[in-house]
Amino acid sequence: MSVNIKYVTSPDGTAICAEETGDRSAPAVVFIHGLACTAAGFDNQFNDPQLSSNLHLVRYEMRGHGRSDKPEDMKSYSAIRHAEDFRTVCEAFRLDRPFVLGWSLGGCIPVDIVHYFGPKSISGVIYIGGALLSLNLSAQCRHPLFKPLVPLICSSDAQVAAKSAVPFVDSCVADPAALSYSTKLSLVGGFGLQPPIIRYFSLNREQDDSRWREQARHIPVVIIQGTEDTHCMYEVMIGLAKSIYDQVEVHLMHGVGHSPHIERPQDANRHILAFVRSISQPRYFRVDVFKQAASPRTTPDFRQQHEDMGGGGPLD
């Protein structure tokens, strides 16, 4: 199935590279990659016939990553910028209440989305590969084996940063030798596209997670997690997720590291599709939740709309 590529412009003028494939009439999933990575990390999902025939797949490269613009000032990586990037991508592909899949650092973007647009702007969250629930919670979950790598990948010394690329990529999987050469080259190349200062901005920007903690409880969540993850202490992360969300489904993948969707894509894809199917409703509503959430009024009451239109079953 063909992939449609768009360069969209966020409100601050930053160009964001985004792609889509699949069935546009099906439930949408927006894939958000991790630190120093690119949208290519989701090739195994975009090339899966089961996913592309049953879902509308959208992925974009976060500002500072891949083919997107890379402003080199901290304010360009503030929470509002990340939330606006997400909204801009959704508007470009005409998405309403998509599911959000966050890998690693990408897992903290739902915090920004909920903060600015409310919890009803998304249908569910798929956390994959040691996802950061929020930047404020990341220190509690950071694995001791990953901590020494952080200052190296963020170093302003070009030699130090460059030499950390391969160790960083190797740390993302349980068995680096099992990575194909092309996959490893893609991951290392994505790392090399990014100035190290952006990795520092991405990890150290401010993020207010208070509204997310207060209002995200009813968002359905699935966690797809490797037991050999050396970036994230996954037991702590899962415990925190269950303290924030009411509905948390967990799938542990033994022998898998920080990248289940790369290391064991067929299993990861099966869990993704099953989760979306379990949550999605037979009717879809064309409501601009972003504009309504940004207005002084409250976010739209999707439950009432569902009942008024004769829908059946709970929306939460």
Side-chain angles (χ1 to χ4, degrees), residues 110 181 301:
Y181 179 69
D301 187 346

Side-chain angles (χ1 to χ4, degrees), residues 63 74-86 108-109 111-113 115-117 135 205-209:
R63 56 179 54 222
M74 177 71 91
K75 67 180 182 180
S76 293
Y77 296 88
S78 62
I80 183 61
R81 299 304 174 209
H82 283 284
E84 287 176 340
D85 292 348
F86 175 82
C108 77
I109 301 302
V111 174
D112 302 324
I113 298 167
H115 183 82
Y116 287 99
F117 306 124
L135 291 174
R205 68 180 177 92
E206 292 186 2
Q207 185 179 58
D208 182 354
D209 63 7

Side-chain angles (χ1 to χ4, degrees), residues 46 85-86 121 145 206 260 264 270 287 298:
F46 267 52
D85 292 348
F86 175 82
S121 59
L145 293 177
E206 292 186 2
R264 202 178 294 167
R270 176 169 51 84
V287 178
T298 58

Side-chain angles (χ1 to χ4, degrees), residues 21-85:
T21 193
D23 182 354
R24 291 185 178 179
S25 68
V29 180
V30 179
F31 293 74
I32 309 177
H33 60 78
L35 179 70
C37 296
T38 71
F42 298 119
D43 281 352
N44 288 322
Q45 286 64 57
F46 267 52
N47 294 328
D48 184 323
Q50 278 295 313
L51 289 188
S52 61
S53 62
N54 288 282
L55 301 174
H56 185 189
L57 308 177
V58 175
R59 61 184 177 182
Y60 70 94
E61 290 173 333
M62 289 190 288
R63 56 179 54 222
H65 294 74
R67 295 159 289 180
S68 295
D69 282 350
K70 301 171 182 63
E72 295 188 23
D73 60 286
M74 177 71 91
K75 67 180 182 180
S76 293
Y77 296 88
S78 62
I80 183 61
R81 299 304 174 209
H82 283 284
E84 287 176 340
D85 292 348

Side-chain angles (χ1 to χ4, degrees), residues 114 119 211-220 244-246:
V114 169
R211 188 179 184 193
W212 168 73
R213 287 173 178 262
E214 294 166 359
Q215 299 185 10
R217 180 163 298 280
H218 298 299
I219 298 175
I244 293 163
Y245 297 105
D246 287 338

